[in-house]
Coordinates of all heavy atoms in Angstrom, one line a residue:
M1 N 48.7 122.6 139.5 CA 49.1 122.4 140.8 C 50.2 123.4 141.2 O 51.2 123.4 140.5 CB 49.6 120.9 140.9 CG 50.1 120.6 142.3 SD 50.8 118.9 142.5 CE 49.7 117.8 141.6
S2 N 50.1 124.1 142.2 CA 51.0 125.1 142.5 C 52.1 124.7 143.5 O 53.1 125.3 143.6 CB 50.3 126.4 143.1 OG 49.6 126.1 144.2
N3 N 51.8 123.6 144.3 CA 52.7 123.1 145.3 C 52.9 121.6 145.2 O 51.9 120.9 145.0 CB 52.3 123.4 146.7 CG 52.3 124.9 146.9 OD1 53.3 125.6 146.7 ND2 51.2 125.5 147.4
V4 N 54.0 121.1 145.3 CA 54.3 119.7 145.4 C 55.1 119.4 146.6 O 56.1 120.1 146.8 CB 55.0 119.2 144.1 CG1 55.4 117.7 144.2 CG2 54.2 119.5 142.9
F5 N 54.8 118.4 147.4 CA 55.5 118.1 148.6 C 55.9 116.6 148.5 O 55.1 115.7 148.2 CB 54.6 118.3 149.8 CG 54.2 119.7 150.1 CD1 53.0 120.1 149.6 CD2 55.0 120.6 150.7 CE1 52.6 121.4 149.8 CE2 54.7 121.9 150.9 CZ 53.4 122.3 150.4
R6 N 57.2 116.4 148.8 CA 57.7 115.0 148.9 C 57.3 114.4 150.2 O 57.6 115.0 151.3 CB 59.2 115.0 148.7 CG 59.8 113.6 148.6 CD 61.2 113.6 148.3 NE 61.8 112.3 148.4 CZ 62.7 111.8 147.6 NH1 63.2 112.6 146.7 NH2 63.1 110.6 147.8
T7 N 56.7 113.3 150.2 CA 56.2 112.7 151.5 C 57.1 111.7 152.1 O 56.8 111.0 153.1 CB 54.8 112.1 151.2 OG1 54.9 111.0 150.2 CG2 53.8 113.1 150.8
C8 N 58.3 111.5 151.5 CA 59.3 110.6 152.1 C 60.6 111.3 152.2 O 60.8 112.3 151.5 CB 59.4 109.3 151.4 SG 59.9 109.5 149.7
G9 N 61.5 110.7 152.9 CA 62.9 111.3 153.1 C 63.7 111.2 151.8 O 63.3 110.5 150.9
R10 N 64.8 111.9 151.7 CA 65.7 111.8 150.6 C 66.2 110.4 150.5 O 66.2 109.6 151.5 CB 66.9 112.8 150.8 CG 66.6 114.2 150.8 CD 67.8 115.1 150.9 NE 68.9 114.5 151.7 CZ 69.3 114.9 152.9 NH1 68.8 115.9 153.4 NH2 70.3 114.3 153.5
D11 N 66.7 110.0 149.3 CA 67.2 108.7 149.1 C 68.3 108.3 150.1 O 68.3 107.2 150.6 CB 67.7 108.6 147.6 CG 66.6 108.8 146.6 OD1 65.5 109.0 147.0 OD2 67.0 108.9 145.4
D12 N 69.2 109.2 150.3 CA 70.3 108.9 151.3 C 69.7 108.7 152.7 O 70.2 107.8 153.4 CB 71.4 110.0 151.3 CG 70.9 111.3 151.7 OD1 69.7 111.7 151.4 OD2 71.6 112.1 152.3
Q13 N 68.7 109.4 153.1 CA 68.1 109.2 154.4 C 67.3 107.8 154.4 O 67.4 107.1 155.4 CB 67.1 110.3 154.7 CG 67.7 111.7 154.9 CD 66.7 112.8 155.0 OE1 65.7 112.8 154.3 NE2 67.0 113.8 155.8
Q14 N 66.7 107.5 153.3 CA 66.0 106.2 153.2 C 67.0 105.0 153.4 O 66.7 104.0 154.1 CB 65.3 106.0 151.9 CG 64.1 106.9 151.7 CD 63.5 106.8 150.4 OE1 63.3 105.7 149.9 NE2 63.2 107.9 149.7
A15 N 68.2 105.2 152.8 CA 69.2 104.1 152.9 C 69.7 104.0 154.3 O 69.9 102.9 154.8 CB 70.4 104.5 152.0
I16 N 69.9 105.1 155.0 CA 70.3 105.0 156.4 C 69.3 104.3 157.3 O 69.6 103.4 158.1 CB 70.6 106.5 157.0 CG1 71.8 107.1 156.3 CG2 70.7 106.4 158.5 CD1 72.0 108.6 156.6
V17 N 68.0 104.7 157.1 CA 66.9 104.0 157.9 C 66.8 102.5 157.6 O 66.7 101.7 158.5 CB 65.6 104.7 157.6 CG1 64.4 104.0 158.3 CG2 65.6 106.2 158.2
A18 N 66.9 102.2 156.3 CA 66.8 100.8 155.9 C 68.0 100.0 156.4 O 67.8 98.9 157.0 CB 66.8 100.7 154.4
S19 N 69.2 100.5 156.3 CA 70.4 99.8 156.8 C 70.4 99.6 158.3 O 70.7 98.6 158.9 CB 71.7 100.4 156.3 OG 71.8 101.7 156.7
E20 N 69.9 100.7 159.0 CA 69.8 100.6 160.5 C 68.8 99.5 160.9 O 69.0 98.8 161.8 CB 69.5 101.9 161.1 CG 70.6 102.9 161.1 CD 70.3 104.3 161.6 OE1 69.1 104.6 161.8 OE2 71.2 105.1 161.7
F21 N 67.6 99.5 160.2 CA 66.6 98.5 160.5 C 67.2 97.1 160.2 O 67.0 96.2 161.1 CB 65.4 98.7 159.6 CG 64.4 97.6 159.6 CD1 63.5 97.6 160.7 CD2 64.3 96.6 158.7 CE1 62.5 96.5 160.8 CE2 63.4 95.6 158.8 CZ 62.5 95.5 159.8
I22 N 67.8 96.9 159.1 CA 68.4 95.5 158.8 C 69.4 95.1 159.8 O 69.4 94.0 160.3 CB 68.9 95.5 157.4 CG1 67.8 95.7 156.3 CG2 69.7 94.2 157.1 CD1 68.3 96.0 154.9
L23 N 70.3 96.1 160.2 CA 71.3 95.7 161.2 C 70.7 95.4 162.6 O 71.1 94.5 163.3 CB 72.3 96.9 161.4 CG 73.2 97.1 160.2 CD1 73.9 98.5 160.3 CD2 74.2 96.0 160.2
K24 N 69.6 96.1 162.9 CA 68.9 95.8 164.2 C 68.1 94.5 164.2 O 68.2 93.7 165.1 CB 68.0 97.0 164.5 CG 67.3 96.8 165.9 CD 66.4 98.0 166.2 CE 65.7 97.8 167.5 NZ 64.8 98.9 167.8
Q25 N 67.4 94.3 163.1 CA 66.5 93.1 163.1 C 67.1 91.9 162.5 O 66.7 90.8 162.8 CB 65.3 93.5 162.2 CG 64.4 94.6 162.7 CD 63.8 94.3 164.1 OE1 63.3 93.2 164.3 NE2 63.8 95.2 165.0
Y26 N 68.2 92.0 161.7 CA 68.7 90.9 161.0 C 70.2 90.8 161.1 O 70.9 90.3 160.2 CB 68.3 90.9 159.5 CG 66.8 90.8 159.3 CD1 66.1 92.0 159.2 CD2 66.2 89.6 159.3 CE1 64.7 91.9 159.0 CE2 64.8 89.6 159.2 CZ 64.1 90.7 159.0 OH 62.7 90.7 158.9
S27 N 70.8 91.3 162.2 CA 72.2 91.2 162.5 C 72.7 89.8 162.4 O 72.1 88.8 163.0 CB 72.5 91.8 163.9 OG 73.9 91.7 164.2
G28 N 73.7 89.5 161.7 CA 74.3 88.2 161.5 C 73.6 87.3 160.6 O 73.9 86.2 160.4
K29 N 72.6 87.8 159.9 CA 71.8 87.0 158.9 C 72.4 87.2 157.5 O 73.2 88.1 157.3 CB 70.3 87.5 158.9 CG 69.6 87.4 160.3 CD 69.4 85.9 160.7 CE 68.7 85.8 162.0 NZ 68.5 84.5 162.5
R30 N 71.9 86.4 156.6 CA 72.4 86.4 155.3 C 71.5 87.3 154.4 O 70.3 87.0 154.2 CB 72.4 85.0 154.7 CG 73.4 84.1 155.5 CD 73.4 82.7 155.1 NE 73.8 82.5 153.7 CZ 75.0 82.4 153.3 NH1 76.0 82.6 154.1 NH2 75.3 82.3 152.0
V31 N 72.0 88.5 154.1 CA 71.3 89.5 153.4 C 71.7 89.6 151.9 O 72.9 89.5 151.6 CB 71.5 90.9 154.0 CG1 70.8 92.0 153.3 CG2 71.0 90.9 155.5
F32 N 70.7 89.7 151.0 CA 71.0 89.8 149.6 C 70.3 91.1 149.1 O 69.1 91.3 149.4 CB 70.3 88.6 148.9 CG 70.8 88.4 147.5 CD1 71.7 87.3 147.2 CD2 70.4 89.2 146.4 CE1 72.1 87.1 145.9 CE2 70.9 89.0 145.1 CZ 71.7 87.9 144.8
I33 N 71.1 92.0 148.4 CA 70.5 93.3 148.0 C 70.2 93.2 146.5 O 71.1 92.8 145.7 CB 71.6 94.4 148.2 CG1 71.9 94.5 149.7 CG2 71.0 95.7 147.7 CD1 73.0 95.4 150.1
V34 N 69.0 93.6 146.1 CA 68.6 93.7 144.7 C 68.2 95.1 144.4 O 67.5 95.7 145.1 CB 67.4 92.7 144.4 CG1 67.0 92.8 143.0 CG2 67.7 91.3 144.9
Q35 N 68.7 95.6 143.2 CA 68.3 96.9 142.8 C 67.9 96.9 141.3 O 68.2 95.9 140.6 CB 69.4 97.9 143.0 CG 70.8 97.5 142.5 CD 71.1 97.8 141.1 OE1 70.3 98.4 140.4 NE2 72.3 97.4 140.7
D36 N 67.2 97.9 140.8 CA 66.6 97.8 139.5 C 67.3 98.6 138.4 O 66.7 98.9 137.4 CB 65.1 98.2 139.6 CG 64.9 99.6 140.0 OD1 65.9 100.4 140.2 OD2 63.7 100.0 140.2
K37 N 68.5 99.0 138.6 CA 69.4 99.7 137.7 C 68.9 101.1 137.3 O 69.3 101.7 136.4 CB 69.6 98.9 136.4 CG 70.2 97.5 136.6 CD 70.4 96.8 135.3 CE 70.9 95.4 135.5 NZ 71.0 94.6 134.3
T38 N 67.9 101.6 138.1 CA 67.5 103.0 137.9 C 68.4 103.8 138.8 O 69.0 103.3 139.8 CB 66.0 103.2 138.3 OG1 65.8 102.9 139.7 CG2 65.1 102.3 137.5
P39 N 68.4 105.2 138.5 CA 69.2 106.0 139.4 C 68.8 105.9 140.9 O 69.6 105.8 141.8 CB 69.0 107.4 138.9 CG 68.7 107.2 137.4 CD 68.0 105.9 137.4
Y40 N 67.5 105.8 141.1 CA 67.0 105.7 142.5 C 67.4 104.3 143.1 O 67.9 104.3 144.2 CB 65.4 105.8 142.5 CG 64.8 105.4 143.8 CD1 65.0 106.2 144.9 CD2 64.1 104.2 143.9 CE1 64.4 105.8 146.2 CE2 63.5 103.9 145.1 CZ 63.7 104.6 146.2 OH 63.1 104.3 147.4
G41 N 67.2 103.3 142.3 CA 67.5 101.9 142.8 C 68.9 101.7 143.1 O 69.3 101.2 144.1
V42 N 69.8 102.2 142.2 CA 71.2 102.0 142.3 C 71.7 102.8 143.5 O 72.5 102.3 144.4 CB 72.0 102.4 141.1 CG1 73.5 102.5 141.3 CG2 71.7 101.5 139.9
G43 N 71.3 104.0 143.7 CA 71.7 104.9 144.8 C 71.2 104.4 146.1 O 72.0 104.4 147.1
L44 N 70.0 103.9 146.2 CA 69.5 103.4 147.4 C 70.2 102.1 147.8 O 70.6 102.0 149.0 CB 67.9 103.2 147.3 CG 67.2 102.7 148.6 CD1 67.4 103.8 149.7 CD2 65.8 102.5 148.3
A45 N 70.3 101.2 146.9 CA 71.0 100.0 147.2 C 72.5 100.2 147.6 O 73.0 99.6 148.5 CB 71.0 99.0 146.0
A46 N 73.1 101.1 146.9 CA 74.5 101.5 147.3 C 74.6 102.0 148.7 O 75.5 101.7 149.5 CB 75.1 102.4 146.3
G47 N 73.6 102.9 149.1 CA 73.6 103.5 150.4 C 73.3 102.4 151.5 O 73.9 102.4 152.6
V48 N 72.4 101.5 151.2 CA 72.1 100.4 152.1 C 73.3 99.5 152.3 O 73.7 99.2 153.4 CB 70.9 99.6 151.7 CG1 70.7 98.3 152.5 CG2 69.6 100.4 151.8
K49 N 74.0 99.1 151.2 CA 75.2 98.3 151.2 C 76.3 99.0 152.1 O 76.9 98.4 152.9 CB 75.7 98.1 149.8 CG 77.0 97.3 149.7 CD 77.4 97.2 148.3 CE 78.8 96.6 148.0 NZ 79.3 95.6 148.8
K50 N 76.5 100.3 151.9 CA 77.5 101.1 152.6 C 77.1 101.1 154.1 O 78.0 100.8 155.0 CB 77.5 102.5 152.1 CG 78.5 103.4 152.8 CD 78.5 104.8 152.3 CE 79.3 105.7 153.1 NZ 79.3 107.1 152.5
G51 N 75.9 101.3 154.5 CA 75.4 101.2 155.9 C 75.6 99.9 156.5 O 76.0 99.8 157.7
L52 N 75.2 98.8 155.8 CA 75.4 97.5 156.3 C 76.9 97.1 156.5 O 77.2 96.6 157.6 CB 74.8 96.4 155.4 CG 73.3 96.5 155.2 CD1 72.8 95.4 154.2 CD2 72.5 96.3 156.5
N53 N 77.7 97.5 155.5 CA 79.1 97.2 155.6 C 79.8 97.9 156.8 O 80.6 97.4 157.5 CB 79.8 97.5 154.3 CG 79.4 96.6 153.2 OD1 79.7 96.9 152.0 ND2 78.7 95.5 153.4
A54 N 79.4 99.2 157.0 CA 79.9 100.0 158.1 C 79.5 99.4 159.4 O 80.2 99.6 160.4 CB 79.4 101.5 157.9
G55 N 78.3 98.8 159.4 CA 77.8 98.2 160.7 C 78.3 96.8 160.9 O 77.9 96.1 161.8
G56 N 79.2 96.3 160.0 CA 79.8 95.0 160.2 C 79.0 93.8 159.5 O 79.4 92.7 159.7
L57 N 78.1 94.1 158.7 CA 77.3 93.1 158.0 C 77.7 93.1 156.5 O 77.6 94.2 155.9 CB 75.8 93.2 158.2 CG 75.0 92.0 157.8 CD1 73.7 92.0 158.6 CD2 74.6 92.0 156.3
T58 N 78.2 92.0 156.0 CA 78.5 91.9 154.5 C 77.4 91.1 153.8 O 77.1 90.0 154.3 CB 79.9 91.3 154.3 OG1 80.9 92.0 155.0 CG2 80.2 91.2 152.9
E59 N 76.9 91.7 152.8 CA 75.8 91.1 152.1 C 76.4 89.8 151.4 O 77.5 89.8 151.0 CB 75.2 92.0 151.1 CG 76.1 92.4 149.9 CD 77.2 93.4 150.2 OE1 77.2 94.0 151.3 OE2 78.0 93.6 149.4
V60 N 75.5 88.8 151.2 CA 75.9 87.6 150.5 C 75.7 87.7 149.0 O 76.2 86.9 148.2 CB 75.2 86.3 151.0 CG1 75.5 86.1 152.5 CG2 73.7 86.4 150.8
G61 N 75.0 88.8 148.6 CA 74.8 89.0 147.1 C 74.3 90.4 146.9 O 73.7 91.0 147.7
Y62 N 74.6 90.8 145.7 CA 74.2 92.2 145.2 C 74.0 92.1 143.7 O 74.9 91.8 143.0 CB 75.3 93.2 145.5 CG 74.9 94.6 145.2 CD1 74.5 95.5 146.2 CD2 75.1 95.1 143.9 CE1 74.2 96.8 145.8 CE2 74.8 96.4 143.6 CZ 74.3 97.3 144.5 OH 74.0 98.6 144.2
E63 N 72.7 92.3 143.3 CA 72.4 92.1 141.9 C 71.5 93.2 141.4 O 70.7 93.8 142.1 CB 71.6 90.8 141.6 CG 72.4 89.5 141.8 CD 73.4 89.3 140.7 OE1 73.1 89.7 139.5 OE2 74.4 88.6 141.0
G64 N 71.7 93.5 140.1 CA 70.8 94.5 139.5 C 69.9 93.8 138.5 O 70.3 92.8 137.8
I65 N 68.7 94.2 138.4 CA 67.7 93.6 137.4 C 67.3 94.6 136.4 O 67.4 95.8 136.6 CB 66.5 93.0 138.1 CG1 65.7 94.1 138.8 CG2 66.8 91.9 139.1 CD1 64.3 93.7 139.1
T66 N 66.8 94.2 135.3 CA 66.2 95.0 134.3 C 64.7 95.2 134.5 O 64.0 94.2 134.5 CB 66.5 94.5 132.9 OG1 67.9 94.3 132.8 CG2 66.0 95.4 131.8
V67 N 64.2 96.4 134.7 CA 62.8 96.6 134.9 C 62.1 96.1 133.7 O 62.5 96.4 132.5 CB 62.5 98.2 135.1 CG1 61.0 98.4 135.2 CG2 63.2 98.6 136.4
G68 N 61.0 95.4 133.9 CA 60.2 94.9 132.8 C 60.6 93.5 132.4 O 59.9 92.9 131.6
E69 N 61.7 93.0 132.9 CA 62.1 91.6 132.6 C 61.0 90.7 132.9 O 60.3 90.8 133.9 CB 63.4 91.3 133.4 CG 64.0 89.9 133.1 CD 64.6 89.9 131.7 OE1 65.2 90.9 131.3 OE2 64.6 88.8 131.1
K70 N 60.8 89.6 132.2 CA 59.8 88.7 132.4 C 60.2 87.4 133.2 O 59.3 86.7 133.7 CB 59.2 88.2 131.0 CG 58.6 89.3 130.2 CD 57.4 90.0 130.8 CE 56.9 91.1 129.9 NZ 56.1 92.0 130.6
D71 N 61.5 87.2 133.2 CA 61.9 86.0 133.9 C 63.1 86.3 134.9 O 64.2 86.6 134.5 CB 62.4 85.0 132.8 CG 62.8 83.6 133.4 OD1 62.7 83.4 134.6 OD2 63.4 82.8 132.6
Y72 N 62.8 86.1 136.1 CA 63.7 86.4 137.2 C 64.2 85.0 137.8 O 64.8 85.0 138.9 CB 63.2 87.2 138.3 CG 62.8 88.6 137.8 CD1 61.5 89.0 137.6 CD2 63.8 89.5 137.5 CE1 61.2 90.3 137.2 CE2 63.5 90.8 137.1 CZ 62.2 91.2 136.9 OH 61.9 92.4 136.5
T73 N 64.1 84.0 137.1 CA 64.4 82.6 137.6 C 65.9 82.6 138.0 O 66.2 82.0 139.1 CB 64.2 81.6 136.5 OG1 62.8 81.7 136.1 CG2 64.4 80.2 137.1
A74 N 66.8 83.1 137.3 CA 68.2 83.1 137.6 C 68.5 83.8 138.9 O 69.2 83.3 139.8 CB 69.1 83.7 136.5
L75 N 67.9 85.0 139.1 CA 68.1 85.7 140.3 C 67.5 85.0 141.5 O 68.1 84.9 142.6 CB 67.4 87.1 140.2 CG 67.4 87.9 141.5 CD1 68.9 88.2 142.0 CD2 66.7 89.2 141.3
I76 N 66.3 84.5 141.4 CA 65.7 83.7 142.5 C 66.5 82.5 142.8 O 66.7 82.2 144.0 CB 64.2 83.4 142.1 CG1 63.4 84.7 142.0 CG2 63.6 82.4 143.1 CD1 62.0 84.5 141.4
S77 N 67.1 81.8 141.8 CA 67.9 80.7 142.1 C 69.2 81.1 142.9 O 69.6 80.4 143.8 CB 68.4 80.0 140.8 OG 67.3 79.4 140.1
K78 N 69.8 82.2 142.5 CA 70.9 82.7 143.3 C 70.6 83.0 144.7 O 71.3 82.7 145.6 CB 71.5 84.0 142.6 CG 72.3 83.8 141.4 CD 72.8 85.2 140.9 CE 73.6 85.0 139.6 NZ 74.2 86.3 139.2
I79 N 69.4 83.6 144.9 CA 69.0 83.9 146.3 C 68.7 82.7 147.1 O 69.2 82.6 148.2 CB 67.7 84.8 146.2 CG1 68.1 86.2 145.7 CG2 67.0 84.9 147.6 CD1 66.9 87.1 145.4
K80 N 68.1 81.7 146.5 CA 67.9 80.4 147.2 C 69.2 79.7 147.5 O 69.4 79.2 148.6 CB 67.0 79.5 146.3 CG 65.5 79.9 146.3 CD 64.7 79.0 145.5 CE 63.2 79.4 145.5 NZ 62.4 78.4 144.6
E81 N 70.1 79.7 146.5 CA 71.4 79.0 146.7 C 72.2 79.6 147.8 O 73.0 78.9 148.4 CB 72.1 78.9 145.4 CG 71.5 78.0 144.3 CD 72.2 78.2 142.9 OE1 73.2 78.8 142.8 OE2 71.6 77.6 142.0
A82 N 72.1 80.9 148.0 CA 72.8 81.6 149.0 C 72.2 81.5 150.4 O 72.7 82.1 151.3 CB 73.0 83.1 148.6
N83 N 71.1 80.8 150.5 CA 70.4 80.6 151.7 C 70.1 82.0 152.4 O 70.4 82.2 153.6 CB 71.2 79.7 152.7 CG 71.3 78.3 152.2 OD1 70.3 77.7 151.7 ND2 72.5 77.7 152.3
V84 N 69.6 82.8 151.6 CA 69.3 84.2 152.1 C 68.2 84.2 153.1 O 67.2 83.6 153.0 CB 68.9 85.1 150.9 CG1 68.5 86.5 151.3 CG2 70.1 85.2 149.9
E85 N 68.5 85.0 154.2 CA 67.5 85.1 155.2 C 66.7 86.4 155.1 O 65.6 86.6 155.7 CB 68.2 85.0 156.6 CG 68.8 83.6 156.8 CD 69.8 83.6 157.9 OE1 70.9 84.1 157.8 OE2 69.4 83.1 159.0
Y86 N 67.3 87.4 154.4 CA 66.6 88.7 154.2 C 67.0 89.3 152.9 O 68.1 89.8 152.7 CB 67.0 89.7 155.3 CG 66.2 91.0 155.3 CD1 64.9 91.0 155.7 CD2 66.7 92.1 154.7 CE1 64.1 92.2 155.7 CE2 66.0 93.3 154.6 CZ 64.7 93.3 155.1 OH 64.0 94.4 155.0
P87 N 66.1 89.2 151.9 CA 66.3 89.9 150.6 C 65.9 91.3 150.7 O 64.8 91.6 151.2 CB 65.5 89.1 149.6 CG 64.3 88.6 150.5 CD 64.9 88.3 151.8
Y88 N 66.8 92.2 150.3 CA 66.4 93.7 150.4 C 66.3 94.2 148.9 O 67.2 94.0 148.1 CB 67.5 94.5 151.1 CG 67.2 95.9 151.0 CD1 66.2 96.5 151.8 CD2 67.8 96.7 150.0 CE1 65.9 97.9 151.7 CE2 67.5 98.1 149.9 CZ 66.5 98.6 150.7 OH 66.2 99.9 150.6
G89 N 65.2 95.0 148.7 CA 65.1 95.7 147.4 C 64.0 96.7 147.6 O 63.2 96.7 148.5
Q90 N 64.1 97.8 146.8 CA 63.1 98.9 146.9 C 61.8 98.4 146.4 O 61.7 97.4 145.8 CB 63.6 100.1 146.2 CG 63.6 100.2 144.8 CD 64.8 99.6 144.1 OE1 65.6 98.9 144.7 NE2 65.0 99.9 142.8
S91 N 60.8 99.2 146.6 CA 59.4 98.8 146.4 C 59.0 98.4 144.9 O 58.1 97.7 144.7 CB 58.4 99.9 146.8 OG 58.6 101.1 146.1
R92 N 59.8 98.9 144.0 CA 59.5 98.5 142.6 C 59.7 97.1 142.3 O 59.4 96.5 141.2 CB 60.3 99.4 141.6 CG 59.9 100.8 141.7 CD 60.6 101.6 140.7 NE 60.4 101.1 139.3 CZ 60.7 101.7 138.2 NH1 61.4 102.8 138.3 NH2 60.4 101.2 137.1
L93 N 60.4 96.3 143.2 CA 60.7 95.0 143.0 C 59.7 93.9 143.4 O 59.9 92.8 143.4 CB 62.1 94.7 143.7 CG 63.2 95.5 143.2 CD1 64.5 95.1 144.1 CD2 63.5 95.2 141.8
V94 N 58.5 94.4 143.7 CA 57.4 93.5 144.1 C 57.1 92.4 143.0 O 56.6 91.4 143.2 CB 56.1 94.2 144.5 CG1 56.4 94.9 145.8 CG2 55.6 95.0 143.5
S95 N 57.5 92.8 141.8 CA 57.2 91.8 140.6 C 58.1 90.6 140.7 O 58.0 89.7 139.9 CB 57.4 92.6 139.3 OG 58.8 93.0 139.2
L96 N 59.1 90.6 141.6 CA 60.0 89.4 141.7 C 59.2 88.2 142.3 O 59.7 87.1 142.2 CB 61.2 89.7 142.6 CG 62.3 90.5 142.0 CD1 63.3 90.9 143.1 CD2 62.9 89.8 140.9
R97 N 58.1 88.4 142.9 CA 57.4 87.3 143.5 C 56.9 86.3 142.5 O 56.3 86.7 141.5 CB 56.2 87.8 144.3 CG 56.6 88.7 145.5 CD 55.4 89.2 146.2 NE 55.8 90.0 147.3 CZ 54.9 90.8 147.9 NH1 53.7 90.8 147.6 NH2 55.4 91.6 148.8
N98 N 57.2 85.0 142.7 CA 56.7 84.0 141.8 C 55.6 83.2 142.4 O 55.5 82.9 143.5 CB 57.8 83.0 141.4 CG 58.7 83.6 140.4 OD1 58.4 84.7 139.8 ND2 59.8 82.9 140.1

């Protein structure tokens, strides 16, 4: 392969778009941020948190998970207990669904 093209924006650009979307669609709602402790996940989540906070929205929770973990019960309980209206996490977190 002689050429490789990235088909999405830089991580910092993704964080700006995500935080603007959340602020527009979920302003005043209870947002919980989850990241997967990878460089991508930590950076993206930090950027989203920064954008939300700058826009006047403070998240009700921020947690990191270990990729490959088999039991996310504690995290799901935290999210439920916080009455979260919008959980945010990057695409690798689809395995959180029970």
Side-chain angles (χ1 to χ4, degrees):
M1 182 184 315
S2 61
N3 294 308
V4 176
F5 297 97
R6 184 173 174 145
T7 59
C8 61
R10 295 185 328 251
D11 298 353
D12 61 325
Q13 293 171 323
Q14 292 177 47
I16 292 168
V17 171
S19 60
E20 287 175 351
F21 171 81
I22 295 167
L23 287 168
K24 182 177 179 185
Q25 298 295 319
Y26 299 95
S27 180
K29 302 290 184 184
R30 299 176 62 81
V31 176
F32 196 106
I33 300 171
V34 181
Q35 48 87 1
D36 64 4
K37 299 181 185 175
T38 63
Y40 169 71
V42 171
L44 185 59
V48 170
K49 177 180 171 38
K50 180 180 174 182
L52 293 179
N53 295 167
L57 195 150
T58 301
E59 69 286 348
V60 296
Y62 183 99
E63 291 285 332
I65 62 161
T66 301
V67 175
E69 184 71 35
K70 301 295 182 199
D71 184 4
Y72 295 108
T73 305
L75 174 61
I76 292 169
S77 293
K78 282 183 183 181
I79 291 170
K80 286 181 179 180
E81 289 170 10
N83 295 316
V84 172
E85 297 166 284
Y86 186 80
Y88 173 81
Q90 76 271 20
S91 62
R92 292 183 63 170
L93 298 177
V94 293
S95 62
L96 284 175
R97 295 180 183 165
N98 279 353

